[in-house]
């Protein structure tokens, strides 16, 4: 807030009342995510200047139905409650602007009743005036003003003119005040007042309600509904999985060109390797995620703003409840099968904080596309004699193993660390509306910029650290052979050797250990790292030579170095371990701290190690 | 004479799709769920219509409020639906 600011205006209202639309009308594109400690939902804040040149800070609080619930920061209601309490504590000059959907006057006025008891100046903006007018109806704002004792305006939040109307309301009558406002308690019934203030002129049709009813007859049809929903989800999945790919490739190609320029310009090989493999490699990873984030954000915003999201929740809630999750976790869980990072961002649509946490904690177990190269390499190396059907079935099995592990973990978490039942489902099914392109655009750019800033920097840092571990010679111990590849003399290699006595039980030798250390930051580098160790260039593009090398590798006394048992154990490890710094960085951002990301790394690595040892011990006896 | 109207108390979960009633009480539900339902718009005296149910024994899709201007539609979990008591207006066919 700048020094000249008159005060803060907080937009409050039920979800879908039109707060975000109005906020976007009032403010420019420069809205910032306000910094409120402990709050896991974005609270947007921006400044507006009125006709008299005074600035106001406008805050878009999360949608809420009531202020009368316990103020745990887990729910949108709790976040809003805490924000208001803090404003009282800090004696901030705050005024409330209730955004009230005119097509739901009675329901909105119940919240007004609660807001009138809060110690802040209050004004009411009735939105959706255009929709009412189309149905031949208006809201009698004069009568409302008289009954409520606060200023009231009716606008259409989609109409550019609404900006002036709301600013006029602020200027004219809403003075943010640090003083407590006390109003005499009036006795009025929201439903009755709504009926009195609702004017119907002529014989209009309730077109919004009728359109919604017609659409629901198809979209929620017992057969067509689930089919359409499945189709939509499959297309979304395909888009994240396939359409994002060329875009990512183009971005990565750009980084690749930059890398070649750097290699040519920088003569010192270590510095060049640092810049190319460490810095630009990390930047490439960050950019590769961007198209997926954008596609998913647009899709979710369209579903949310159109009203379809609640319909999807309605259709699948039953299925997910069996696993201790709810209908809303469906989208993130599905997307995580392409990539966990956009999926983590997608958990923002979960309103229940506990459920959101549980979903976040199990998302890394879903089989993301970065696991596929390693699976393909291992299947090609050790199971090529089994035929195509076997490898196909193995892939399906690996996907199912991830999903089952996630569902089991969710059930366990519900009884342990992320305890607390999620409240049984009650969601509003709003009338269908066509989303506003400029709001979708703003939401998406904000998501993309936020991702680059918060997650991108962490990924970059980890990439640099891992580069150092894999490249810089260990200062201790004698190198095995003077002419050995740099990676054999690296810190990672000596750590890998030191771990061998333990990892032996899972069938991992130091080479696999080095691969796993490299894959700690990003599992997709496993294949490339193994390629470097075995001296095979370009293993990422064509894994066949590396597969042959892995199969034919022998110990000094001539026994095979690795066998199918090691392959199975390594696959079990990859199913379970959260080998992805991008995921960790995204988790840190969404949970606002290190506690849960560290928990995820800890529990998935513990599970993965246990499973790897178990699988190896069993398989090496069975497959003998 | 018009058809007689039977007035009986029924749980939402016992209502047939398409039937209507007036919310009579949320008494059996625990406090938090009750507060939450009331805040959303499902409270005593509201008229309520069961529009449909989700597949596989899923949630109930209801519309509350009679007059336009006070409409709201909600999906309600089965565990809550059995706790919402309605004064059903089961129109008896003559
Ligand atoms: N026609 C019309 N649509 C509106 C109006 N206000 C909001 N909407 C639409 O209602 C939906 C929900 O609005 P949004 O601003 O996201 O509500 P929020 O949940 O309160 O932030 C969006 O699709 C908006 O475009 C309005 O005054 N007129
Ligand atoms: Mg909003």
């Amino acid at each position: 807030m700048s020094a000249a600011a008159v005060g803060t205006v907080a937009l409050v209202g039920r979800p879908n009342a039109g707060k975000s639309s109005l906020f976007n009308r009032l403010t420019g594109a420069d809205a910032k995510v306000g910094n409120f400690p402990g709050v896991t939902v974005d609270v947007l804040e921006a400044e507006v200047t009125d006709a008299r040149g005074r600035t106001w800070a406008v805050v878009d609080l999360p949608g809420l139905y009531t202020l009368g619930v316990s103020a745990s920061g887990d729910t949108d209601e709790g976040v809003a409650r805490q924000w208001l309490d803090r404003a009282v504590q800090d004696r901030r000059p705050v005024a409330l602007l209730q955004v009230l959907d005119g097509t739901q006057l009675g329901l909105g006025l119940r919240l007004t009743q609660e807001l009138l008891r809060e110690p802040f100046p209050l004004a009411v903006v009735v939105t959706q005036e255009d929709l009412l007018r189309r149905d031949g109806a208006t809201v009698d704002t004069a009568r409302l003003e008289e009954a409520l004792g606060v200023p009231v305006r009716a606008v259409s939040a989609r109409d550019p003119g609404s900006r002036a109307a709301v600013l006029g309301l602020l200027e004219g009558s809403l003075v943010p005040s640090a003083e407590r406002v006390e109003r005499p308690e009036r006795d009025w019934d929201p439903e009755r007042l709504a009926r009195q203030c609702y004017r119907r002129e002529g014989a209009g049709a309730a077109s919004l309600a009728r359109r919604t009813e017609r659409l629901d007859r198809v979209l929620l049809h017992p057969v067509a509904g689930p089919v359409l929903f499945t189709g939509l989800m499959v297309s979304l999945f395909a888009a994240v999985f396939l359409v994002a790919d060329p875009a990512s490739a183009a971005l990565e190609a750009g980084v690749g060109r930059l890398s070649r320029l750097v290699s040519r310009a920088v003569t010192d090989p270590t510095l060049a390797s640092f810049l190319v493999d460490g810095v630009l490699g990390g930047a490439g990873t960050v950019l590769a995620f961007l198209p997926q984030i954008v596609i998913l954000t647009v899709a979710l915003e369209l579903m949310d703003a159109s009203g379809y999201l609640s319909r999807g929740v309605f259709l699948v809630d039953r299925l997910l409840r069996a696993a201790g999750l709810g209908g809303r976790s469906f989208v993130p869980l599905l997307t995580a099968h392409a990539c966990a990072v956009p999926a983590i961002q997608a958990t923002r649509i979960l309103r229940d904080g506990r459920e959101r946490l549980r979903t976040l904690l199990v998302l890394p177990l879903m089989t993301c596309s970065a696991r596929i190269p390693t699976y393909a390499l291992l299947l090609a190396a050790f199971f090529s004699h089994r035929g195509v059907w076997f490898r196909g079935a193995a892939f399906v099995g690996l996907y199912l193993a991830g999903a089952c592990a996630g569902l089991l973990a969710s059930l366990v978490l519900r009884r342990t660390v992320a305890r607390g039942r999620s409240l049984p489902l009650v969601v509003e099914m709003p009338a269908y509306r066509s989303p506003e392109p400029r709001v979708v655009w703003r939401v998406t750019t904000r998501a993309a910029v936020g991702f680059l800033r918060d997650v991108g920097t962490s990924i970059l840092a980890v990439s640099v650290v891992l580069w150092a571990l894999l490249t810089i010679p260990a200062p201790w111990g004698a190198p095995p052979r003077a002419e050995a590849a740099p990676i054999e003399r690296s810190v990672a290699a000596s750590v890998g050797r030191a771990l061998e006595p333990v990892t032996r039980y899972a069938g991992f030798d130091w080479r696999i250990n080095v691969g796993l250390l490299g894959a700690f930051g990003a599992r997709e580098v496993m294949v490339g790292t193994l390629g470097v160790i075995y001296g095979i260039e370009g293993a990422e593009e064509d894994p066949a030579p590396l597969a042959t090398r892995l199969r034919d590798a022998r110990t000094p006394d001539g026994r095979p170095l690795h066998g199918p048992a090691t392959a199975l154990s390594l696959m079990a490890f990859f199913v379970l371990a959260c080998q992805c710094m991008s995921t960790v960085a995204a988790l840190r951002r969404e949970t606002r701290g290190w506690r849960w990301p560290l928990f995820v790394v800890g529990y998935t690595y513990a599970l993965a190690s246990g499973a790897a040892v178990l699988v190896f011990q069993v398989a090496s006896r069975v497959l003998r | 004479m018009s058809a007689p109207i039977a007035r009986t108390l029924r749980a939402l979960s016992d209502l047939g799709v398409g039937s209507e009633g007036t919310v009579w009480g949320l008494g059996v539900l625990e406090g938090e769920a009750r507060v939450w339902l009331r805040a959303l718009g499902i409270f005593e005296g509201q008229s309520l219509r069961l529009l449909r149910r989700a597949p596989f024994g899923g949630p109930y899709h209801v519309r509350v409020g009679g007059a336009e201007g006070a409409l709201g539609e909600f999906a309600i979990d089965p565990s809550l639906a059995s706790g919402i008591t309605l004064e059903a207006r089961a129109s008896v066919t003559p």
Side-chain angles (χ1 to χ4, degrees):
Chain A
M1 213 193 302
S2 80
V6 198
T8 304
V9 178
L11 301 184
V12 285
R14 290 169 67 102
N16 295 304
K19 281 190 311 331
S20 300
S21 310
L22 210 57
F23 183 80
N24 274 295
R25 281 274 161 241
L26 281 176
T27 65
D30 58 340
K32 300 239 163 19
V33 175
N35 186 22
F36 305 109
V39 168
T40 49
V41 193
D42 281 352
V43 179
L44 290 179
E45 196 172 323
E47 282 193 353
V48 291
T49 310
D50 65 19
R52 281 197 270 161
R54 299 178 306 174
T55 51
W56 305 67
V58 181
V59 172
D60 186 16
L61 288 181
L64 60 110
Y65 289 104
T66 175
L67 286 167
V69 289
S70 54
S72 89
D74 276 351
T75 59
D76 289 353
E77 275 74 15
V79 168
R81 178 75 264 171
Q82 283 177 357
W83 192 92
L84 293 176
D85 289 347
R86 192 165 302 136
V88 174
Q89 246 171 44
D90 300 350
R91 303 189 59 79
R92 275 224 271 171
V94 166
L96 303 182
L97 188 62
Q98 187 192 358
V99 181
L100 199 162
D101 179 351
T103 65
Q104 288 193 326
L105 205 53
L107 295 178
L109 285 172
R110 289 171 71 80
L111 182 60
T112 315
Q113 213 163 28
E114 290 186 17
L115 292 173
L116 283 170
R117 286 187 211 115
E118 296 295 318
F120 305 104
L122 175 71
V124 176
V125 183
V126 177
T127 56
Q128 331 263 3
E129 198 203 17
D130 51 329
L131 296 176
L132 287 175
R133 188 125 27 81
R134 207 193 304 156
D135 290 352
T138 49
V139 170
D140 185 346
T141 49
R143 178 135 196 197
L144 269 181
E145 277 189 349
E146 191 191 330
L148 301 175
V150 301
V152 180
R153 280 282 184 298
V155 301
S156 159
R158 300 176 84 132
D159 171 13
S162 59
R163 183 174 195 272
V166 174
L167 280 180
L169 188 63
L170 295 187
E171 271 169 58
S173 43
L174 200 57
V175 184
S177 145
E179 299 300 312
R180 294 180 62 89
V181 176
E182 276 192 53
R183 299 184 185 84
E185 188 85 23
R186 300 191 192 190
D187 190 30
W188 52 281
D189 176 54
E191 295 299 319
R192 189 171 320 131
L193 182 59
R195 272 195 299 278
Q196 289 164 351
C197 295
Y198 193 72
R199 296 258 171 282
R200 189 167 258 293
E201 285 140 14
S207 57
L208 184 69
R210 272 234 310 276
R211 189 177 62 175
T212 298
E213 213 171 301
R214 267 204 305 275
L215 276 169
D216 270 345
R217 228 172 278 150
V218 179
L219 295 176
L220 296 182
H221 184 273
V223 180
V227 170
L228 284 169
F229 181 74
T230 311
L232 196 73
M233 287 299 113
V234 169
S235 339
L236 176 58
F237 182 67
V240 172
F241 202 83
L242 300 171
V243 181
D245 232 33
S248 303
L251 287 171
E252 279 180 315
V255 175
R257 257 197 300 284
L258 200 59
S259 303
R260 280 191 293 282
L261 281 180
V262 170
S263 331
R264 232 172 294 141
V266 181
T267 45
D268 181 72
T270 311
L271 181 62
S273 160
F274 168 75
L275 290 175
V276 170
D277 300 329
V279 178
L280 287 175
T285 311
V286 177
L287 286 181
F289 286 124
L290 204 56
Q292 307 186 354
I293 298 270
V294 167
I295 288 179
L296 198 65
T297 310
V298 170
L300 285 178
E301 181 60 24
L302 288 179
M303 282 171 71
D304 198 10
S306 66
Y308 185 69
L309 190 62
S310 314
R311 270 74 183 183
V313 172
F314 175 75
L315 289 173
V316 299
D317 188 72
R318 186 84 223 141
L319 298 178
L320 281 162
R321 212 147 271 273
L325 298 165
R328 284 182 177 236
S329 9
F330 189 79
V331 182
L333 285 173
L334 183 83
T335 338
H337 282 87
C339 177
V341 174
I344 285 168
Q345 201 135 344
T347 59
R348 294 181 175 202
I349 58 172
L350 275 95
R351 278 179 59 88
D352 180 329
R354 289 279 113 179
E355 192 178 310
R356 177 162 187 230
L357 179 61
R358 270 201 299 275
T359 309
L360 282 171
L361 298 183
V362 304
L363 280 181
L365 293 170
M366 304 298 126
T367 303
C368 70
S369 53
R371 286 171 167 98
I372 293 175
T374 303
Y375 291 164
L377 172 72
L378 293 172
L379 287 172
F382 298 104
F383 299 96
S384 52
H385 58 290
R386 295 272 194 162
V388 179
W389 62 269
F390 176 86
R391 277 180 279 165
F395 259 111
V396 174
L398 287 164
Y399 270 98
L400 285 180
C404 290
L407 296 185
L408 281 177
S410 154
L411 285 177
V412 173
L413 289 169
R414 183 152 81 138
R415 278 170 186 74
T416 50
V417 288
R419 207 175 327 208
R421 296 166 311 114
S422 25
L423 273 178
L425 177 84
V426 198
V427 289
E428 185 153 13
M429 313 253 269
Y432 288 108
R433 297 183 178 95
S434 50
E436 240 183 325
R438 47 181 256 137
V439 176
V440 176
W441 169 250
R442 291 227 178 128
V443 168
T444 307
T445 45
R446 206 176 293 127
V449 169
F451 173 78
L452 289 181
R453 188 191 51 219
D454 301 345
V455 182
T457 43
S458 315
I459 297 178
L460 211 57
V462 171
S463 167
V464 167
V465 170
L466 283 173
W467 171 85
L469 286 179
L470 289 169
T471 317
I472 296 176
W476 58 84
R481 280 173 289 133
E483 75 280 12
I487 197 165
E488 283 193 42
R489 287 178 276 135
S490 67
V491 175
S494 60
V495 173
R497 286 199 187 83
L499 287 174
E500 225 173 35
V502 182
T503 58
R504 215 160 34 95
Y505 293 102
F508 300 164
D509 70 340
W510 71 267
R511 295 174 188 83
I512 293 180
N513 288 346
V514 172
L516 288 177
L517 283 173
F520 179 75
R523 48 174 74 85
E524 58 267 33
V525 308
M526 182 74 184
V527 174
T529 313
L530 285 177
V532 173
I533 295 172
Y534 284 97
I536 288 173
E537 296 254 334
E540 296 98 326
E541 282 78 43
D542 178 18
L546 178 58
T548 315
R549 245 338 237 289
L550 279 178
R551 185 171 49 234
D552 298 341
R554 292 283 181 272
T555 56
D557 52 355
R559 284 179 299 120
L561 193 55
H562 309 296
T566 301
L568 288 176
S569 133
L570 194 52
M571 283 194 263
F573 194 89
F574 263 69
V575 166
L576 294 168
C578 174
Q579 302 164 291
C580 181
M581 273 316 110
S582 314
T583 298
V584 171
L587 281 173
R588 190 195 68 85
R589 174 172 192 234
E590 294 305 316
T591 60
R592 313 261 157 129
W594 281 108
R595 178 170 164 216
W596 292 115
L598 290 178
F599 173 79
V600 165
V601 171
Y603 103 85
T604 61
Y605 266 84
L607 277 183
S609 312
V613 170
L614 189 72
V615 166
F616 181 73
Q617 296 301 333
V618 172
S620 55
R621 282 169 180 77
V622 174
L623 295 176
R624 195 184 286 278
Chain B
M1 237 178 80
S2 64
I5 303 291
R7 288 192 179 280
T8 38
L9 290 187
R10 292 235 201 109
L12 172 57
S13 50
D14 297 333
L15 232 54
V17 168
S19 46
E20 270 180 76
T22 306
V23 179
W24 184 82
L26 310 171
V28 246
L29 298 170
E30 51 182 309
E32 205 177 347
R34 217 158 44 207
V35 171
W36 189 237
L37 280 173
R38 289 208 179 108
L40 263 86
I42 298 156
F43 47 87
E44 290 81 349
Q46 274 279 61
S47 63
L48 182 151
R49 181 185 171 88
L50 177 58
L51 298 177
R52 59 173 62 76
R53 280 203 69 176
F56 314 116
Y60 293 71
H61 181 187
V62 303
R63 176 186 298 153
V64 301
E68 293 113 306
L71 281 179
E73 291 185 14
F74 303 94
I76 300 176
D77 193 77
S79 68
L80 293 180
S82 53
I84 300 174
T85 324
L86 299 157
E87 198 179 294
R89 282 195 299 274
S91 46
V92 178
T93 36

